[in-house]
Structure formats: structure tokens, C-alpha cells
Amino acid sequence: MHSLVRQCRIGLPPELNGLAEAEGIPPQRMAGAIACGHIAVPANPRRTIRPVAIGEGCRVKVNVNIGTSQGLCDLDLEMRKAEAAISAGTDALMDLSTAGDLKAIRKRILSLPVPVGTVPIYEAIRRAGSAADLTADILFSVIREQCREGVDFLTLHCGVNHDALEALRIDPRMLGVVSRGGAFHVAWMVATGEENPLYAEYDYLLEILKEDDVTISLGDGMRPGALVDSGRLAKTTEYLTLGKLARGALDAGVQRMIEGPGHIPINEVAWNVKVIKEVTDNAPLYLLGPLVTDIATGYDHVVGAIGGAIAASAGADFLCMVSPAEHLALPNVEDIIEGTRVARIAAHVGDITRRGGVTGSPEEIRMAVARRDLDWEAQYAEMLFPDYARSIHDRDSERETCSMCGDLCAVKMVRDLLCTDQKRD
Amino acid sequence: MHSLVRQCRIGLPPELNGLAEAEGIPPQRMAGAIACGHIAVPANPRRTIRPVAIGEGCRVKVNVNIGTSQGLCDLDLEMRKAEAAISAGTDALMDLSTAGDLKAIRKRILSLPVPVGTVPIYEAIRRAGSAADLTADILFSVIREQCREGVDFLTLHCGVNHDALEALRIDPRMLGVVSRGGAFHVAWMVATGEENPLYAEYDYLLEILKEDDVTISLGDGMRPGALVDSGRLAKTTEYLTLGKLARGALDAGVQRMIEGPGHIPINEVAWNVKVIKEVTDNAPLYLLGPLVTDIATGYDHVVGAIGGAIAASAGADFLCMVSPAEHLALPNVEDIIEGTRVARIAAHVGDITRRGGVTGSPEEIRMAVARRDLDWEAQYAEMLFPDYARSIHDRDSERETCSMCGDLCAVKMVRDLLCTDQKRD
């Protein structure tokens, strides 16, 4: 099977026309960006989905994580969450299940029409019994099986290697490792003394992925788990490793994305994005957060939206929804809806900058016109969440303006005044 | 009565000791910053309140707007909103009432122990009957009365002058004027052809304010009301006027703050803050928003938190809560709580940068320690909203970790592993 990267190097695959149109960029330019790895289109050819383009010149995309955990394993609930996320506008889903019949869960989630990602180390650990008992064979078998099942992108913590471990040792962090996948690899490396097979046998891994044209999402196992850890060496050590691995994947014709931090202060967000983009040669960047404070637990979706909007504006391409239950509990359906909406806001705010400002954002222009005209239906037509907004507006009775200002509406007062006045000039 | 500015010029007023301690800055430095207008302490000597310092070197403060409107006039509801805002952690309140018995409403709100601000033009218009019938006498009488009633700070749109009107004419905006106070002044100027008395008779205004040592909040009547309007001349024209007026107030010994935009794209937030700070000689900056998209109606509290966090990080000192009902309806009690919490997050995120990073944020350090130790009670002790977070955590049964990861807690896995490992080195 020819990989999308290779197809784009020699011509224009016909399936790009729709994608390029959706992004408002010329198909040939999109093909060029895929060929040089600036855009990824995670879409396993074994499945028929609504693919999305992620990266340079594209709208910022949103992913929602769902999945069972040992504390709460209810497949029907996870499907309701997945469907709620799609209704709320997510572009992709990741199945992070760690409990129950993992294959059965994945099969149902793969029946949904959006790109689906997984973290194969979770199933590999389940099969091995413990991190110490994991073998490279088990891990690669799981990866191969998931590719064959139709998964579109895999988070693989290839950067959690002995260099990263050494960085953790010489420059310790308050919260050593907070990535679950990263922690498994660290545990395995410490137990066996060996190198992470995903790093040591990276070329073999790429061969497996290439067979089904599956996209690799180079996981950030070393992402800082607290603001106090943002400046430690492990993070940047991993950035550099991922940059090297990103080049390797592209050379092999495998599409890749980079995963980024984590917990970092607001003033460090933009330059972290720039550094990752530089060392990875502008690979698509996939972020969880960044979370810009650690003490707003219960509102980490808002904290992530602050970090995510800045990151997207600075160049991040794909935002992972953070739920209000982050750090507290497995999210419920309401958490998923709230988190997805807020992530979409962050993505859109970033898009305004990415499209060169408001002049490249026709929905912002149409919204301003609708507000000037106090045309509520035209406003709803532009809103990200029209039904929700309507429910707030309709709780009071006034219609042309709103109960906020009532007749004392500034727009209403000045609109005709200035228009008339301008005509006089 | 000696104004606080004048007292700080000649010595150290004893009431500053507590305020300086609360901010963690030396009292003499705070006195210096008040004397040169970099910090304001809005506190009418006619009332006893819990004063707060706003400006350079101080924690970012939060204000919550409440008040009746013609569509919804229920004083008990407004008091419940005010009390909810104080419980949720606001530092100040503004009474924006425009309906009902305005004096009676104000009296009840002034019984609360926080600094209270008002927008006198609202009552002046009520008394005059319409914007066209307003006179300078009515306006100044209302201002004097409100000062005598104990109001701590007054939003006065002194910058809405003929220069601003001319800027609106030569560089028109989609949404002419969205500030209600600004719109009244524009309507009056257009109707009468005269200059805004708050601008024309600014020295007289300062005399009135000085009598009761009331702080002036120089209103941003020309704030852009849509992202598409962010680059128009009226905004910057008003910045320059406010800069001149800020100097005049300080010379007269009147404390002042500057109000800033409005609706602006994310990449313009930081430099707008810097420009205002420069032209006003670092006066305390009070912001509503900024809102960084216009299409997320129903979630404008989150949109405002994104803009507010960046603005606070760049130098803004005082954030006005934006409610989820903004642009839709008068907020209810739940909206006020949600908006206040989210504004406090934005303020705190900005504080981290302002205090020189995480090392200046002991609560962030303690939170990281509590997370490392999986010590839930210690985490709650640092959280901004511990009861709310607890309600999410307690909905599932696991306690040491949480239902999100269950036994597969990365922190738990790596913590002992690396500690042991480090000891071996």
C-alpha cells in the first residue's frame, strides 16, 4: 500500500480535493505540506471515516479522550461520551480504555465516523501483566493488531529513552513522570535496564505503521506535570529526540504528529510551541492543555483553554480536550460536552491569528454585522453553540435587545445616531 | 481631607501597613507607588471596608458587576448576586443598576464590606429623562451625591470627547459604540453639539472627587465592541486622552484607574496593555475581557478568561468578571459564581508571570508537592475552589488516586521508582 506521504510526493491524491476545500487551501499546496510533513491526515485505509487535515494552514482541530478505567468501566457510558463529543464538535477521538474487553470497546469506538487514536502501551501492559513483564514482542504485536483493526493514529512514547531518564536523574522533577504511557516505559526501563524498544527498534516500528499507513503521534512521556517542573531538562531532551524521530518517520513515509506539554506558565507557552516546531521541522503539534496553573482543579478545562488558545495562536495544530474532571475523576457526559466546547473556543481563537487576523475570519465579520443589526437569528447562525446561547437569551422576555441592558442598549442608541450624522458630513 | 495620594507623598499612612503585608511588598514601596499613581486603593473614607490595592506589584484583583435593568429589576436578587460574588472571591463590586430606586439599591450594596464602584451617568440620565436633556449640573450633582454616599470608585467616560467622535467619523466602526455610558455621552454630544462636560470641566470634576477622596476609573467609552473593530482609531484616540487625564488626576491628588478594551484578537491583547500602560504612565489598568472571539456567546466568561489571563500577565491589574450570560441576558446567581471563579483563574494565571514565575507562587509549589504525595487534603488546601473540586472527586469511590487512572496512576508508579533509583546513584 502506498503511504499518503509517498503519494503526495509524486502527485495529487484525489482524496485531498475535499480536504483542501474544507480548509480553504489549494490542493497542491496541501499535498506539498503532507509530503514535507507539515500536515498529517490520520486515516487508516481499512476504515471509512470523515478525515481531517492537521497542521500548517489548516483549522486547529480538537480531540476528545474517552475510555474505561479500573475505577469506572462501562462501555455504554463511553459510547455515550463519544457520541456527545462528536455532537459537541470534536474532530477526533482517542480511546484510552484500560479496563474491560479492550478489543470489544475499540471495535465499537472504531464504528464512529471520526479519526480514532489509541495508546497501545495500555493494552500491551494488560497483556503482559505488569510493566516489568512487558516484552518488545508483546508491544509490537499489539501495535500491529491495532493498526489492522483500523486505528488511525497511535500515541507511542518513543522519546522516553535512556537520555530522558538520565535527564530526569540529573535534573529531578517534583512530579517525576505524569504521562501514564511514559510511566510504563520508565518502569520497564528501570526494571530491565534496557532501552525502550519503541526507540531502539524505531525503524521496525515504522515498518509496521507503514503497512497500514497509520499515523504516529510521538507521545510526550516527559511532559512536565506541574508548573514547577516546566523548566527541567527532561522536557527539552524529549523535544530533541522527537525532532530526530519525526525526521525518521517522514523519511520512511510515515505520517507523524508531535505531542507537547503539559503544565507550563502562561508566559512560556508560545516559545515552547516555537521550539517544538523548530526542532521537529514544523511537524503538526498536538497539545493537551497546556495547563497554566495547577490550583484551579475543577476548572482545568478553562485553564487548558487559556493555554490552548495561546498555543494554537503560536502554532499548535491539534488540541486535546481537557475535562472539568481532570485530576479528579473519569469525566461524565456533561464534562465531555463542557470540555469539548471550551476546547473548540480555544481552537477558534487560535485560528483567528493563524488566518492572519479577523479579515481572514468571515464568521467574526458576519457576527459583528448581525450584532450591529441586532439580528438575533443571524447571530445564532454564527455562534459556536447556538442552542445553548438561545436557552440563556430566552430565559427573559425582551427580544430585540436583551435583559442585560434592556432599552438602554448602546448599540441601538448610537447606531442610527452616527449613521445619520455621517451622512450629514 | 487629605487624599491618599498626598499622604503618600509626604509619608507613610498607617493604613498601608496591612495592605502592603497582604501584597507582600514593603509599605514604603507601596506608598511610593500610590504617590506616583502606579497603585490605586479605592476606599471612600466615609465607609469602612476591606480595601484592596490595585496596580504594580499587587495581586491582580477581580470585580463583579451587578445591578438591576429595566428587563429585570429585583433588588433582593441583586443582593444575592452580590453576596454570591463575595463568597466566590471577588475583590470589588460595581453597581450598574439602571432600574428601580437607584439610591435604595446603592445603599444596600454599600452595606457590603468590599470596594464598590458605580457609573454615575446611569443615574444622571434617569434624572434628566433622556440623554438630550442631560445637563452638566445634573451630572455633577449625581457624582457629588454618590461620593457622599460612600462609593469608592466611579467609572466616568471623560475620554468620550469630540476627538473620539471625530475618530469614529473618519474611521467608522461596525459597532459604533458598545459602552452604555459612552453611548449616552455620544448621544448628548451629537444632540447638543457641545463637549462632554466630564472632559471640558475635568478640573471641576477632580475637585468633587478630591473632597471625598474617591477614585476615578477613566471609562473606555470607545472600547471596540467586535474583533473587526479592534484596529480602528477611536480606541487609540481615547487611550491618548485617558493618558492625559490620568496625569491631570494625579497632579490634583486624585487616584485613578484606566479602563481598557473590549473585543480584540488574542495576538493584540498584550501590546494593547503595553500601549495603555505607556501612555498613562503605568496607571492601574482595569479590563473587561478582553474578549478574543465574538462567536462563543454563552461562554464569554471563558473567552474573557483567555483574554484576561494574557492581559494580566502583560500588566493589567484588575479584571472585571464576564458572565456566561454576557450579550444574552442579565446574569443570574449561578452565572455570577461561574464568572467570578473563571475571572479569578485568569487573575491568578497572570499573577504567576507578574511574580516572576512559579518560584514566586508558593501555592503552585505546595500544590505540586501535594500532588507528588497524592495527599488530597493538602491539594484541597491549595485549590481555588476546594469544595467544588471535592464534589467531583467524591462522585467516585477511589481515594488515594482517582477514577481517572485508578491503579494506573503515573505519579504513583514512577514516584518510588525514581526516588529509590536516585538514591542508588
Side-chain angles (χ1 to χ4, degrees):
Chain A
M1 185 181 303
H2 278 305
S3 79
L4 187 64
V5 170
R6 289 190 195 282
Q7 289 176 63
C8 287
R9 280 185 193 148
I10 55 174
L12 178 65
E15 65 263 37
L16 283 198
N17 286 311
L19 274 175
E21 192 184 1
E23 302 293 343
I25 57 182
Q28 200 59 58
R29 197 177 123 205
M30 181 174 277
I34 293 170
C36 69
H38 296 185
I39 289 179
V41 182
N44 189 318
R46 291 178 185 268
R47 231 157 44 90
T48 305
I49 57 161
R50 206 165 60 201
V52 290
I54 299 167
E56 190 179 88
C58 302
R59 269 190 315 105
V60 177
K61 303 303 185 299
V62 168
N63 174 72
V64 169
N65 290 341
I66 54 156
T68 59
S69 83
Q70 287 164 316
L72 190 55
C73 182
D74 176 344
L75 178 49
D76 288 336
L77 172 64
E78 296 309 318
M79 286 305 289
R80 286 202 304 279
K81 284 157 62 173
E83 283 154 8
I86 293 172
S87 297
T90 192
D91 298 288
L93 288 172
M94 284 193 79
D95 171 20
L96 305 191
S97 292
T98 56
D101 181 344
L102 299 185
K103 270 192 197 307
I105 294 168
R106 207 157 47 235
K107 193 171 176 190
R108 281 190 65 186
I109 292 169
L110 285 167
S111 71
L112 296 168
V114 296
V116 169
T118 58
V119 187
I121 185 83
Y122 296 170
E123 185 171 9
I125 294 285
R126 264 284 285 274
R127 199 170 295 180
S130 77
D133 294 321
L134 183 69
T135 64
D137 276 354
I138 294 176
L139 185 51
F140 287 123
S141 296
V142 167
I143 291 169
R144 184 175 281 113
E145 286 167 28
Q146 295 197 2
C147 290
R148 301 240 164 114
E149 289 169 22
V151 174
D152 303 290
F153 60 103
L154 302 180
T155 290
L156 294 165
H157 300 90
C158 308
V160 179
N161 60 10
H162 274 102
D163 286 349
L165 212 53
E166 179 65 11
L168 274 183
R169 283 178 181 142
I170 63 173
D171 193 13
R173 304 196 293 196
M174 188 77 79
L175 285 162
V177 174
V178 297
S179 152
R180 207 158 36 162
F184 286 132
H185 286 292
V186 167
W188 186 84
M189 285 194 291
V190 171
T192 64
E194 289 179 34
E195 185 53 282
N196 176 355
L198 297 179
Y199 181 77
E201 298 173 59
Y202 186 61
D203 291 341
Y204 177 59
L205 170 64
L206 294 175
E207 287 300 316
I208 298 173
L209 299 174
K210 202 159 60 176
E211 278 173 33
D212 292 287
D213 203 18
V214 168
T215 299
I216 183 169
S217 188
L218 288 159
D220 55 342
M222 291 295 131
R223 66 174 178 267
L227 267 64
V228 297
D229 286 338
S230 71
R232 306 279 61 80
L233 281 179
K235 180 192 72 174
T236 316
T237 301
E238 190 181 47
Y239 287 174
L240 283 166
T241 303
L242 297 186
K244 195 173 69 170
L245 297 175
R247 284 168 170 78
L250 192 66
D251 290 345
V254 172
Q255 296 193 93
R256 75 284 184 271
M257 303 186 285
I258 310 295
E259 297 184 13
H263 297 236
I264 46 179
I266 190 169
N267 57 317
E268 300 179 12
V269 172
W271 61 255
N272 269 276
V273 169
K274 303 289 186 193
V275 166
I276 299 173
K277 282 278 179 179
E278 180 180 276
V279 301
T280 65
D281 203 8
N282 291 302
L285 178 56
Y286 176 25
L287 292 187
L288 175 65
L291 296 180
V292 292
T293 171
D294 289 326
I295 67 168
T297 322
Y299 283 82
D300 277 336
H301 58 309
V302 174
V303 176
I306 295 170
I310 299 169
S313 182
D317 306 288
F318 192 23
L319 300 182
C320 187
M321 175 275 278
V322 177
S323 111
E326 183 77 18
H327 299 109
L328 292 168
L330 205 67
N332 59 28
V333 173
E334 291 69 35
D335 292 330
I336 292 286
I337 294 170
E338 188 74 4
T340 307
R341 285 180 178 168
V342 163
R344 284 186 63 208
I345 293 171
H348 172 69
V349 166
D351 274 336
I352 297 171
T353 307
R354 292 160 65 104
R355 292 183 294 191
V358 177
T359 47
S361 303
E363 61 287 340
E364 295 285 340
I365 299 170
R366 290 192 300 261
M367 183 68 175
V369 172
R371 280 210 168 130
R372 179 196 62 193
D373 298 342
L374 298 174
D375 180 341
W376 283 94
E377 290 309 317
Q379 289 184 49
Y380 291 130
E382 301 306 328
M383 286 181 195
L384 291 173
F385 321 110
D387 297 339
Y388 180 69
R390 198 186 288 269
S391 72
I392 298 176
H393 187 239
D394 287 358
R395 72 186 185 205
D396 303 312
S397 57
E398 306 222 5
R399 299 311 301 267
E400 197 200 354
T401 57
C402 67
S403 66
M404 210 174 148
C405 302
D407 281 344
L408 301 180
C409 173
V411 174
K412 213 169 154 187
M413 274 190 276
V414 174
R415 190 179 47 179
D416 303 328
L417 209 62
L418 283 180
C419 287
T420 318
D421 205 59
Q422 268 178 261
K423 282 183 203 128
R424 272 207 308 262
D425 277 356
Chain B
M1 186 180 303
H2 279 304
S3 80
L4 186 65
V5 170
R6 289 190 195 281
Q7 288 178 62
C8 286
R9 281 185 193 146
I10 55 173
L12 178 65
E15 65 263 37
L16 283 197
N17 287 311
L19 274 175
E21 193 183 1
E23 302 294 342
I25 57 182
Q28 200 58 59
R29 199 177 122 204
M30 182 174 277
I34 293 169
C36 69
H38 295 185
I39 290 178
V41 182
N44 189 319
R46 291 178 186 268
R47 231 158 43 90
T48 305
I49 57 160
R50 207 166 60 202
V52 290
I54 298 167
E56 189 179 88
C58 302
R59 270 188 316 104
V60 177
K61 302 303 185 299
V62 167
N63 175 73
V64 169
N65 290 341
I66 54 156
T68 59
S69 83
Q70 288 164 315
L72 190 54
C73 182
D74 177 345
L75 177 48
D76 289 336
L77 172 63
E78 296 310 318
M79 287 305 290
R80 286 202 303 279
K81 283 156 64 172
E83 283 154 8
I86 293 173
S87 297
T90 192
D91 298 287
L93 289 171
M94 285 193 78
D95 172 21
L96 305 190
S97 292
T98 56
D101 181 345
L102 299 184
K103 269 193 198 305
I105 294 168
R106 207 158 46 237
K107 192 171 177 190
R108 280 189 65 185
I109 292 170
L110 285 167
S111 71
L112 296 168
V114 296
V116 169
T118 58
V119 186
I121 185 82
Y122 297 170
E123 186 172 9
I125 294 286
R126 264 283 286 275
R127 200 171 293 180
S130 78
D133 294 322
L134 183 68
T135 64
D137 276 352
I138 294 175
L139 185 52
F140 287 123
S141 296
V142 167
I143 292 169
R144 183 176 282 112
E145 288 168 26
Q146 294 197 1
C147 290
R148 300 241 165 115
E149 288 170 23
V151 174
D152 304 290
F153 61 104
L154 302 180
T155 289
L156 294 165
H157 300 89
C158 309
V160 179
N161 59 10
H162 274 103
D163 286 349
L165 213 53
E166 178 65 10
L168 275 183
R169 283 176 182 143
I170 63 174
D171 193 15
R173 304 196 293 196
M174 187 77 79
L175 286 162
V177 174
V178 296
S179 152
R180 209 159 34 161
F184 286 131
H185 287 290
V186 167
W188 186 85
M189 287 193 290
V190 171
T192 64
E194 289 179 33
E195 185 54 282
N196 177 354
L198 297 179
Y199 180 77
E201 299 173 59
Y202 186 61
D203 290 341
Y204 176 59
L205 170 64
L206 294 175
E207 286 301 317
I208 298 173
L209 298 174
K210 202 160 57 174
E211 278 173 34
D212 292 287
D213 203 19
V214 168
T215 299
I216 183 169
S217 188
L218 288 159
D220 53 341
M222 291 296 131
R223 66 175 178 266
L227 266 65
V228 298
D229 287 338
S230 70
R232 306 279 62 81
L233 280 179
K235 180 192 72 174
T236 315
T237 302
E238 190 181 47
Y239 288 173
L240 282 165
T241 304
L242 298 186
K244 196 173 67 169
L245 297 175
R247 284 168 170 79
L250 191 66
D251 290 345
V254 172
Q255 297 193 92
R256 74 284 185 275
M257 304 186 285
I258 310 296
E259 298 184 13
H263 298 236
I264 47 179
I266 190 169
N267 56 318
E268 299 179 11
V269 172
W271 62 257
N272 270 276
V273 168
K274 303 289 186 194
V275 166
I276 298 174
K277 281 279 179 179
E278 181 180 275
V279 300
T280 65
D281 203 9
N282 291 302
L285 177 56
Y286 176 26
L287 293 185
L288 176 65
L291 296 179
V292 292
T293 172
D294 289 326
I295 66 168
T297 323
Y299 283 82
D300 277 336
H301 58 308
V302 174
V303 176
I306 295 171
I310 299 169
S313 182
D317 306 288
F318 193 23
L319 301 181
C320 187
M321 176 275 279
V322 177
S323 110
E326 182 78 17
H327 298 109
L328 291 168
L330 205 67
N332 60 27
V333 173
E334 292 68 35
D335 291 331
I336 292 286
I337 294 170
E338 188 74 4
T340 306
R341 285 180 178 169
V342 164
R344 284 186 62 207
I345 293 171
H348 171 70
V349 167
D351 274 335
I352 298 172
T353 307
R354 292 160 64 105
R355 292 183 293 192
V358 177
T359 47
S361 303
E363 62 287 341
E364 295 285 341
I365 299 170
R366 290 191 302 260
M367 184 66 174
V369 172
R371 281 208 169 133
R372 178 196 62 194
D373 297 343
L374 299 174
D375 181 340
W376 283 93
E377 290 308 318
Q379 289 183 50
Y380 290 130
E382 301 306 329
M383 287 180 193
L384 290 173
F385 321 110
D387 296 339
Y388 181 69
R390 199 186 287 269
S391 72
I392 298 176
H393 187 238
D394 287 357
R395 72 187 184 204
D396 304 313
S397 56
E398 306 225 5
R399 299 309 302 265
E400 197 200 355
T401 58
C402 68
S403 66
M404 208 173 150
C405 302
D407 281 345
L408 302 179
C409 171
V411 174
K412 213 169 153 185
M413 273 190 276
V414 174
R415 186 178 50 176
D416 303 328
L417 210 61
L418 283 180
C419 286
T420 318
D421 206 59
Q422 266 178 264
K423 282 184 202 127
R424 271 209 307 266
D425 276 354

